[in-house]
Structures are given as C-alpha cells and as structure tokens.
Amino acid sequence: MDIEKIFKANMKREQSEKIAKYNVLNTFAQKGKILFTGSSLMEQFPINELLMTAGMKQIVYNRGVGGFTTDDMLKYMDTQIFDVEPSKIFINIGTNDISNPSVSFETALTHMLCNYTEILTQIQTRLPKTDVYLMAYYPVNETDKVPDGEWGKTLFVNRNNHNIPIANTEIQKLAKTFGFHYINVNAGLTDERGMLKKEYTVEGVHMYANAYQIILKNMKPYL
C-alpha cells in the first residue's frame, strides 16, 4: 500500500469516527439553534471559543468534517444537518470538490453545483422554516506557505484566487434560486495582492483563529 492510499484510508477512518461522534452529540443538541456545517474550513472554525471571548450568547453546533465533498455530505445529511433541527444553517461545502486536480475546474464545478442543488433541495423540503446561509468560499494564499510534497504541487491547480470568485458567483446564483441567503464574510482576510494573509493561514488554505475572529466579526449581523 503506497503513502497516498494509506493517507486516504486514514482520512476515511477519521471521518467515520467524527460522524459517529456527531451522531451521539446530536442526541443532546437543543432544537432551533444555529448550525455550522461543511468541510474542514467549517470544522476548524473555533466558533464556541470565539463566541465566549466575544461575550456572545448564541448556541452554535459545528458539524463540519475535514475532507468532505458534496458527495460525502449527501451521504450524511441527517448527521450534518437534519438531526440538529436548526433555526439557522451556515454552509461551507464544495472547496474539496473544486480542489480535485484530476479533472478540469469546469468539470469539478459542474459536479459540485449539481450536488449542492440536491443538498439545498433536501433542506428546503425538510426544514422549510429554517434560514439558510450559503457562505462564499475563502481566498487562498498560493505562494507563501505552499506545502511540501505532492499535495503542495496540486493544491492550487484548481483551487486558486482566479477560480474561487467564479465558484462564488455560482453559489450566489444558487442561493438566489432557492430564496436562501448568500453571504461573503471575507472582508479583512486578504493582503494587497488579494491573497489570504500569510499570518492567517497554516498552509495557504486552512486558517488560524486570528482569521476566524475576523470572519466571526463579519458574521455577527447574521447570527
């Protein structure tokens, strides 16, 4: 078994463990609260610690799973969304779809949007009174902290600051189609080049708490 296969196997195992943990947590969740859901950029949002620091009283459940694509979310809609029965949902899913270097950006985007449409259709059907917020994808830093190895060589092939605004435009259209909210809470994240600031990012994509503090500030009107 090569390194890539080992990595993928470990990721799948970790994802399964997270889903199992969320299933148990969902039995304790208060209904009608706020839900954050999506992939790693949502999972790594330290929302409850930042809320406490800011003196905010909102109850937020985070059901993000690192590495998830829209295909994965469709398999676990109950765990990631419906079992929580939220009054508000903030979604950030799809960046792993468009990051796939084995297909063109256009192909990846088309597949992602098809799945995202199905995700939103199910939400609209099963949670008709819930406010739904589709979050704009965050900018990346393609130069300052590129990871070593094969991952670094392919990380920004499709997921870059040229393609992300294109994807955001499509997500905005999708939100309008469903009558949902599209929010861009990225103000303050970028440098003079339009890239995610070096001090905010781990490896060009994932972010430290200082970036999420800015994002939370931008999100306050919607929480």
Side-chain angles (χ1 to χ4, degrees):
M1 184 176 289
D2 60 30
I3 293 176
E4 183 178 356
K5 288 182 179 179
I6 294 173
F7 174 79
K8 289 182 178 179
N10 287 338
M11 176 176 283
K12 287 296 182 183
R13 175 182 53 78
E14 291 173 1
Q15 289 171 341
S16 295
E17 290 173 355
K18 288 172 188 174
I19 290 296
K21 290 175 181 178
Y22 287 159
N23 283 332
V24 175
L25 277 173
N26 287 344
T27 65
F28 298 98
Q30 298 180 38
K31 309 306 181 185
K33 303 302 180 182
I34 300 170
L35 173 68
F36 280 18
T37 193
S39 54
S40 59
L41 285 167
M42 194 61 98
E43 181 187 3
Q44 295 178 21
F45 198 139
I47 180 60
N48 286 298
E49 188 163 345
L50 291 177
L51 286 173
M52 287 189 289
T53 299
M56 299 171 66
K57 304 299 184 181
Q58 289 90 336
I59 294 176
V60 179
Y61 298 106
N62 191 329
R63 296 296 180 263
V65 179
F68 259 26
T69 63
T70 52
D71 291 284
D72 296 313
M73 178 172 274
L74 280 170
K75 294 177 185 177
Y76 297 104
M77 292 289 286
D78 286 338
T79 302
Q80 286 201 284
I81 297 175
F82 297 125
D83 289 346
V84 182
E85 295 183 31
S87 60
K88 291 183 179 181
I89 304 173
F90 293 84
I91 306 176
N92 189 331
I93 191 71
T95 49
N96 290 317
D97 299 67
I98 63 174
S99 294
N100 184 356
S102 65
V103 299
S104 69
F105 170 71
E106 291 76 19
T107 298
L109 181 64
T110 298
H111 177 77
M112 182 269 287
L113 291 171
C114 181
N115 281 348
Y116 213 147
T117 299
E118 176 58 24
I119 289 168
L120 298 181
T121 298
Q122 290 189 32
I123 291 173
Q124 192 171 63
T125 300
R126 294 182 60 178
L127 297 172
K129 297 182 180 180
T130 297
D131 290 327
V132 182
Y133 296 82
L134 279 60
M135 297 179 67
Y137 300 128
Y138 304 124
V140 296
N141 186 314
E142 306 160 41
T143 61
D144 295 328
K145 290 187 174 181
V146 179
D148 295 329
E150 290 302 313
W151 188 45
K153 294 177 182 177
T154 61
L155 182 57
F156 301 109
V157 171
N158 285 338
R159 186 177 184 169
N160 53 60
N161 289 319
H162 171 75
N163 289 338
I164 288 173
I166 296 172
N168 281 340
T169 297
E170 295 304 316
I171 296 302
Q172 187 173 19
K173 292 178 184 176
L174 199 57
K176 185 176 181 180
T177 298
F178 280 87
F180 293 156
H181 309 279
Y182 168 81
I183 58 171
N184 187 327
V185 290
N186 301 344
L189 294 180
T190 55
D191 59 21
E192 65 280 357
R193 302 168 297 174
M195 291 191 183
L196 181 62
K197 291 181 180 179
K198 180 179 179 180
E199 63 267 27
Y200 289 164
T201 183
V202 179
E203 64 333 35
V205 172
H206 297 96
M207 297 180 290
Y208 295 118
N210 51 357
Y212 283 112
Q213 187 175 40
I214 291 173
I215 294 166
L216 176 58
K217 180 180 178 181
N218 294 336
M219 289 182 73
K220 281 183 179 180
Y222 311 108
L223 292 175

